[in-house]
Amino acid sequence: MSALIEPAQWPIAGREDELLACSAAWANPRTQGLFIFGAAGVGKSRLAEELMATAVAAGWTASRVTVTAAAAAVPLGPVAHLIPVGVDMSDPVRGFAAVARLLSGPRMILVDDLHLLDTASTVLLRQLLDAGVVRVIGTIRSGSPISDAVNALTAGEHAHRIYLTEFDARQVEQVLRAALGAPVGRRTLIELHAASGGNALYLHELVVGALASGVLASDGEIFELAVDSLPTTQRLTELIGSRLAAADPAARPVLELLALCEPLPLADARSVATGSILASLERGGLIQVATDRRRTTVALAHPLYGEVLRAELPTLRRRELLLAQAARVEALGARRRTDALHLATWYLAATGTADPALLVPAAAIARHAHDYQRVASLLAAVPDEHRTHLVCLMHGHASMQLGQWKDSDLRLAQAQDLAADDMETVAATLVRSWNMFWTAVRADAALRICADTRESITDGDGRRVLAVNEAALRTLSGQPVAGLAGLTDVSADYRLLPDGSAWSVAAMAKTAGLAYVGRVEAAIAWGERAFAAHLRMDDEELATGGTIPVSQLNPMIFALTDAGRLAEARDAADRLFDGAARTDAAMTWVWATCFRGRLEWLAGDVAAARRWYAEALAQARVRQHASATFEAWAGLAASAAVLGDVAAAEAALAEMRSCPPLGHFAGEEDLGAAWLWVARGQLGRARAVLTAAAGRARATGHVGSEMVLLTDIARLGGARDVADRLAELADSGEGAFAPARARLAAALADDGPARLLAVADELRAIGANLLAAEAASAAAAAWQRAGQPRKATAAAHQARECAALCPGARTPLLTTTEATMSLSSREREIALLAAGGTSSKGIAEALHLSVRTVDNHLQHVYAKLGISGRHELAAAVGGVSTQD
């Protein structure tokens, strides 16, 4: 955390590419000067200091000059330290020549804020550069006036110029990861990047403030923001305040109005500021003007400007500005689509009340933007006597999205009571059932309320909608075969189902169900059509609930992963994150991070999987959503176990067992327990856990999960037991992953090195790098036993290349070294148990062998490894941690 105390302590993270370019230019002996251009706060000085440190380490004499307006007012003042004692500067021509002659090199000079340098100092530096006495690194603030002398200094073929822009989201992630020493959640990164605008100085202060207040905290795995607002620091407030104070005092009214009501139509901005004032604000970088077709709007140039301005506004001044702007909009007839939302928000902020006839349409607009916090705030202001069925329904849906399931259930029950007909009753029942399912994790209660309503109504359309909804619930709660049977008639023409909200959820469930039962290519094809159809739906068709369009991509991530299209699955996840980033659709986000974790787990990057599962848990906690926690804890346990972190795996499993299971991808929740046994060296117990889990997956029709579990049994020495079943599933399945898994199990069962290498290539092409590494490692061992050391070495090299893409992964098949290649699978299993401290009797009981057989195997192991006993086993076997 110390890296966050002062801006100068920030690491160079995020600027590696620029540093590399600067270093390459600096290494060129023809380069006389290297000049870094950029706006304030983008890290120009930090980059220059890094280059100066490199020069000092190489033996250069270095000095730094920070130019200020006061220093620049004195000719040669900033560079006075370069002028040797006794040089007469009354004649600049002779004096400059004497300085060049008397200075010793090599000398490097860093000039910060070079654009402020006086002309005499600039000319001296130019002559010193031409004489080869010094080399200069200078930082120049973009947009500042630059003298002809400075232009001359920074121009020419021997000057290298680099332009720094604000950090993008990727660079913000690099900076924060380096500074905090731990991952930062994707949503948190997006919020910090948006709030800072990529300005390194602003980002620094936001993070300092968030850490100090506890808003940004780590749960031991990942850093997340606890709330949606970021506290600033006194220093940041002063920095921005001084920038705003430099504006013409006559501009203050329009800046204050923008802070409360941006973006403003240009005409409204002109009602409180002249055109010349607006032009000066735009030139000064305080506002930005945008034109969309015939509409021109004005907004503050940085989000933090509004934060500072709002904090300084007295209550009565705020009220005056808001009511005046509302009057301007109403005078023009409030014709724009978003005017109702703006008016309701302004009236509430100014007076605490608003007309119910304004609040309800405003809430509908906010719901369409998936701003559920705004929906809840607007509808909470509706008086009790005006709370209609629609008001309660929208409010209940917003509360569900915010994770407030008890409040949601109460409001949705009121909506049912206020329903005027069967279809209104159905609409309330739909949202109430999913509230129970997602946020209360009660599938039985959700199904029961649908069934009860279906029995109590007579409308045929309503009964059909409820039947489809029940099928969607069953599909996502562990009954994909039965659920899909009820979703057969759900088509891409959403208008064929009388309720658009019901269609949006059913469409998503259908994609998931098809993927669960192994029809992954069908799932992908359907999911693409469903997503396109969802994008076409208008406000009225989703007025009372449903999901955001990008939520259709969540089951697509799952389907693409199980099809072996891992790169496309990552793209789908990124599209979802981009689409959901600025919404309150927390549940969609939580499931996306969970599915991304599963994707990385199956790709073999267990460290990345752990990070994504950790974000799923952190977001579920922050956003009060319990639905994905069971799967996320299970995934975190498995990832930690394969990384050798037994304590974290044990803690995660304990947390998982306290969470209610939802039924997604049945059986996979036991991967954590199985791999924890592996980390302890108990491969037999691990296989037993996986076998039972695969049986549950088979019983519920979760073909994809069954294949995942059977594949892990094969990896842990049980290939002969599962090869036939995997082949059977591959014959009836879809996608590239299923046959690759089947061929892996068959090759492991046969111990055929050529087949193992062929399947390693197949898995690597898919992107399943850990499986590919294990297959190549097993091939290396088989070649070694066959007396083919050259082929064994080549296969081992291939295994290492794939394993390098799975940092930290530790599995039994990866323990193969030149020494252990000669061990049989049984000998390797016994060696792992013994290395972990298990007695011969304990090994015999675990593997159903006699103690004498175990001891005989151990003697063979010692002989093959060239060691004398158990005390040398751990170092000889390596790889998997076998300590509790």
Side-chain angles (χ1 to χ4, degrees):
M1 302 276 185
S2 61
L4 294 169
I5 302 304
E6 294 295 337
Q9 294 176 314
W10 276 70
I12 200 65
R15 291 294 187 204
E16 291 88 351
D17 292 344
E18 292 89 342
L19 178 61
L20 185 63
C22 287
S23 298
W26 194 248
N28 185 344
R30 291 173 56 82
T31 300
Q32 295 178 341
L34 192 151
F35 304 102
I36 306 170
F37 290 76
V42 297
K44 302 184 299 297
S45 297
R46 185 71 186 88
L47 187 62
E49 288 163 2
E50 190 77 13
L51 291 165
M52 183 171 71
T54 302
V56 170
W60 288 68
T61 300
S63 60
R64 175 173 179 167
V65 176
T66 300
V67 187
T68 64
V74 179
L76 297 175
V79 295
H81 66 289
L82 297 175
I83 302 173
V85 177
V87 173
D88 182 6
M89 299 300 292
S90 60
D91 182 349
V93 175
R94 297 178 62 183
F96 288 0
V99 173
R101 185 175 61 256
L102 294 172
L103 280 180
S104 59
R107 181 181 294 269
M108 190 270 283
I109 304 171
L110 190 162
V111 185
D112 214 3
D113 286 341
L114 178 64
H115 53 282
L116 297 177
L117 201 62
D118 63 283
T119 299
S121 296
T122 307
V123 172
L124 173 60
L125 285 179
R126 178 75 265 174
Q127 292 202 18
L128 295 177
L129 284 173
D130 291 341
V133 175
V134 302
R135 298 177 82 187
V136 174
I137 297 176
T139 68
I140 302 171
R141 183 175 298 181
S142 300
S144 299
I146 299 176
S147 67
D148 291 340
V150 171
N151 273 325
L153 179 66
T154 61
E157 61 178 359
H158 301 314
H160 183 83
R161 299 160 68 107
I162 187 166
Y163 296 87
L164 299 186
T165 58
E166 285 77 10
F167 284 138
D168 59 25
R170 178 187 62 82
Q171 291 169 312
V172 168
E173 180 176 16
Q174 290 176 301
V175 167
L176 294 183
R177 179 72 182 255
L180 296 169
V184 179
R186 179 82 169 256
R187 184 181 282 271
T188 292
L189 285 169
I190 290 171
E191 292 181 17
L192 285 170
H193 179 245
S196 67
N199 182 292
L201 181 57
Y202 292 175
L203 176 65
H204 171 270
E205 293 301 320
L206 286 171
V207 173
V208 167
L211 287 171
S213 65
V215 170
L216 179 64
S218 172
D219 60 3
E221 293 281 348
I222 196 166
F223 276 88
E224 287 282 12
L225 286 170
V227 294
D228 290 332
S229 59
L230 278 167
T232 60
T233 64
Q234 182 63 33
R235 183 164 181 264
L236 181 56
T237 300
E238 290 171 356
L239 284 169
I240 295 175
S242 63
R243 180 156 170 71
L244 294 169
D248 188 329
R252 192 71 180 185
V254 73
L255 291 172
E256 291 175 342
L257 184 60
L258 286 168
L260 295 174
C261 305
E262 68 176 337
L264 286 176
L266 180 59
D268 288 357
R270 281 178 170 165
S271 68
V272 291
T274 64
S276 61
I277 287 176
L278 292 174
S280 68
L281 290 174
E282 185 180 20
R283 282 194 304 272
L286 293 179
I287 66 171
Q288 52 190 9
V289 180
T291 300
D292 182 10
R293 297 179 183 175
R294 292 183 299 172
R295 191 182 187 210
T296 301
T297 57
V298 182
L300 294 170
H302 198 284
L304 290 177
Y305 295 168
E307 293 283 345
V308 172
L309 287 163
R310 287 190 291 272
E312 295 175 350
L313 275 175
T315 301
L316 291 179
R317 174 61 174 162
R318 182 187 299 257
R319 176 189 173 100
E320 174 190 359
L321 288 167
L322 288 168
L323 293 178
Q325 181 60 20
R328 277 189 285 271
V329 172
E330 288 179 324
L332 294 173
R335 298 186 303 271
R336 297 191 180 279
R337 181 179 176 278
T338 56
D339 281 346
L341 177 58
H342 292 151
L343 288 170
T345 302
W346 297 337
Y347 277 122
L348 279 180
T351 67
T353 61
D355 187 342
L358 189 61
L359 289 168
V360 177
I365 295 169
R367 194 221 64 78
H368 180 67
H370 312 292
D371 186 350
Y372 299 111
Q373 191 63 61
R374 180 83 64 91
V375 174
S377 298
L378 291 166
L379 295 180
V382 175
D384 289 344
E385 61 271 21
H386 292 278
R387 299 192 69 79
T388 63
H389 162 81
L390 179 60
V391 169
C392 293
L393 183 56
M394 284 199 298
H395 203 164
H397 179 254
S399 296
M400 177 186 78
Q401 294 291 342
L402 295 171
Q404 301 162 0
W405 76 270
K406 290 183 178 179
D407 179 75
S408 175
D409 192 64
L410 176 63
R411 297 186 187 283
L412 293 168
Q414 292 174 342
Q416 285 180 309
D417 292 340
L418 292 169
D421 55 36
D422 282 356
M423 288 307 294
E424 287 193 353
T425 300
V426 167
T429 301
L430 292 175
V431 182
R432 194 178 182 193
S433 68
W434 287 105
N435 177 61
M436 290 179 175
F437 182 75
W438 288 123
T439 54
V441 195
R442 294 169 59 195
D444 55 342
L447 287 165
R448 186 167 56 252
I449 193 173
C450 286
D452 289 347
T453 300
R454 185 157 47 84
E455 292 301 317
S456 68
I457 65 173
T458 59
D459 186 284
D461 284 342
R463 292 171 67 87
R464 178 174 162 234
V465 167
L466 287 168
V468 167
N469 195 61
E470 289 178 63
L473 286 164
R474 294 187 190 282
T475 301
L476 299 179
S477 61
Q479 305 173 55
V481 177
L484 280 172
L487 297 175
T488 304
D489 293 335
V490 175
S491 73
D493 188 351
Y494 53 83
R495 293 166 297 185
L496 297 179
L497 194 67
D499 187 287
S501 298
W503 179 90
S504 71
V505 179
M508 184 171 57
K510 185 172 180 177
T511 307
L514 289 168
Y516 294 159
V517 301
R519 297 181 57 196
V520 288
E521 295 295 347
I524 294 165
W526 161 254
E528 289 172 346
R529 293 199 302 274
F531 181 41
H534 200 154
L535 289 171
R536 292 194 298 269
M537 298 178 78
D538 61 27
D539 293 2
E540 292 184 5
E541 287 156 332
L542 284 172
T544 58
T547 63
I548 65 174
V550 292
S551 64
Q552 300 292 344
L553 296 175
N554 251 331
M556 286 280 284
I557 301 170
F558 186 101
L560 287 163
T561 299
D562 276 19
R565 295 159 62 173
L566 303 189
E568 293 176 68
R570 288 190 185 90
D571 289 342
D574 288 340
R575 287 165 63 199
L576 190 154
F577 290 135
D578 290 342
R582 309 308 298 174
T583 75
D584 286 334
M587 187 159 45
T588 296
W589 189 280
V590 170
W591 275 110
T593 53
C594 198
F595 285 138
R596 181 65 184 267
R598 183 178 181 272
L599 159 62
E600 299 302 344
W601 165 264
L602 293 178
D605 190 348
V606 286
R610 180 175 183 171
R611 171 253 180 274
W612 285 108
Y613 283 126
E615 178 165 355
L617 291 164
Q619 282 294 311
R621 183 166 51 252
V622 169
R623 308 287 171 171
Q624 305 177 64
H625 279 286
S627 60
T629 53
F630 184 78
E631 282 81 1
W633 279 120
L636 183 62
S639 303
V642 175
L643 290 167
D645 192 343
V646 171
E650 289 174 337
L653 279 178
E655 292 283 358
M656 182 202 80
R657 288 164 183 151
S658 68
C659 298
L662 196 60
H664 277 288
F665 26 100
E668 289 189 36
E669 67 273 8
D670 281 347
L671 285 168
W675 282 96
L676 182 56
W677 282 120
V678 175
R680 293 168 173 162
Q682 301 276 358
L683 272 62
R685 290 194 177 186
R687 289 196 300 269
V689 169
L690 292 168
T691 299
R696 292 199 307 278
R698 183 174 186 175
T700 56
H702 285 81
V703 172
S705 295
E706 185 185 359
M707 295 197 76
V708 168
L709 295 160
L710 294 176
T711 302
D712 280 9
I713 294 172
R715 298 165 67 193
L716 298 176
R720 290 186 178 88
D721 299 327
V722 300
D724 289 344
R725 175 59 180 166
L726 278 169
E728 178 186 342
L729 291 172
D731 287 342
S732 60
E734 299 174 1
F737 222 154
R741 287 188 175 115
R743 282 190 277 273
L744 172 64
L748 288 170
D750 293 346
D751 200 27
R755 293 183 66 186
L756 284 165
L757 283 178
V759 79
D761 290 337
E762 186 177 355
L763 289 164
R764 188 172 188 176
I766 286 173
N769 295 307
L770 185 54
L771 294 180
E774 291 177 333
S777 183
W783 282 125
Q784 185 72 22
R785 289 191 294 273
Q788 300 279 354
R790 187 170 296 179
K791 291 183 177 180
T793 300
H797 177 71
Q798 182 175 335
R800 285 192 294 273
E801 284 185 342
C802 293
L805 301 173
C806 312
R810 305 160 76 174
T811 71
L813 285 175
L814 289 185
T815 62
T816 301
T817 63
E818 290 186 8
T820 60
M821 284 181 186
S822 59
L823 299 182
S824 68
S825 59
R826 175 64 83 186
E827 288 169 344
R828 187 181 295 110
E829 186 170 16
I830 290 173
L832 285 169
L833 287 166
T838 306
S839 66
S840 293
K841 183 179 179 182
I843 297 172
E845 291 174 352
L847 302 182
H848 306 291
L849 301 172
S850 69
V851 174
R852 183 174 180 177
T853 300
V854 170
D855 287 337
N856 285 337
H857 277 303
L858 283 173
Q859 291 303 318
H860 293 152
V861 169
Y862 302 154
K864 289 180 178 180
L865 298 182
I867 61 177
S868 59
R870 281 176 177 259
H871 62 286
E872 297 180 69
L873 261 180
V877 173
V880 178
S881 171
T882 56
Q883 301 297 321
D884 289 351

